[in-house]
Amino acid sequence: PPDAATWAQMDRDIMELFARPDYGVGSDAIMVGGKPHPRAYGTFPRLLGRLRRKHGRPSLEALVNRSTYVTARRFGLRDRGLVRRGFAADLVVFDPETLIDTATYDEPSAFPVGIKAVIVNGVIAARNGRPTGALAGRALP
């Protein structure tokens, strides 16, 4: 892993990229095997929580836009990315002041803190950090 100064520069570079209105967020984490990369559990909480609070910009609204609308458009997902009638109701309810990633290389499956609910296609899939057992997701074309 890089030293602390390199990590700090990478964080600054990431936030500078996300200041661009055309820049979208994604993760290349693949859930295979017993030890996924920590970003499988922490990409969005790290960006929307830890890095946003540390750097103060771009705004939470801009980062949510980059994580939803911009990315959905980039992949041609026309019924996602906005809260709008007729769109898939995929939502995450979180506290922006407590949201933080907790996954590490030693504990890569540690859930983030600060997420109140995850709603997939209008069905509550997780509440207060616990899965509900609902399996409302579907493969996207």
Side-chain angles (χ1 to χ4, degrees), residues 87-99:
F87 276 40
D90 296 336
L91 305 166
V92 177
V93 180
F94 63 93
D95 179 343
E97 298 313 312
T98 62
L99 182 64

Side-chain angles (χ1 to χ4, degrees), residues 89-93 115-137:
D90 296 336
L91 305 166
V92 177
V93 180
I115 295 178
K116 307 298 183 192
V118 177
I119 302 164
V120 178
N121 287 320
V123 178
I124 298 175
R127 181 182 288 126
N128 296 320
R130 297 183 186 270
T132 63
L135 300 175

Side-chain angles (χ1 to χ4, degrees), residues 27-83:
S27 172
D28 62 350
I30 299 172
M31 297 298 296
V32 177
K35 272 208 159 184
H37 191 282
R39 70 178 153 251
Y41 284 72
T43 296
F44 295 92
R46 176 171 288 257
L47 177 66
L48 298 171
R50 182 187 307 267
L51 294 176
R52 179 191 56 82
R53 286 191 300 272
K54 179 179 178 182
H55 296 281
R57 66 174 185 84
S59 69
L60 176 62
E61 294 81 4
L63 291 172
V64 168
N65 171 267
R66 308 309 185 263
S67 301
T68 57
Y69 180 77
V70 171
T71 304
R73 290 301 158 277
R74 176 79 36 96
F75 286 98
L77 303 173
R78 302 207 187 291
D79 67 340
R80 285 171 165 63
L82 294 172
V83 178

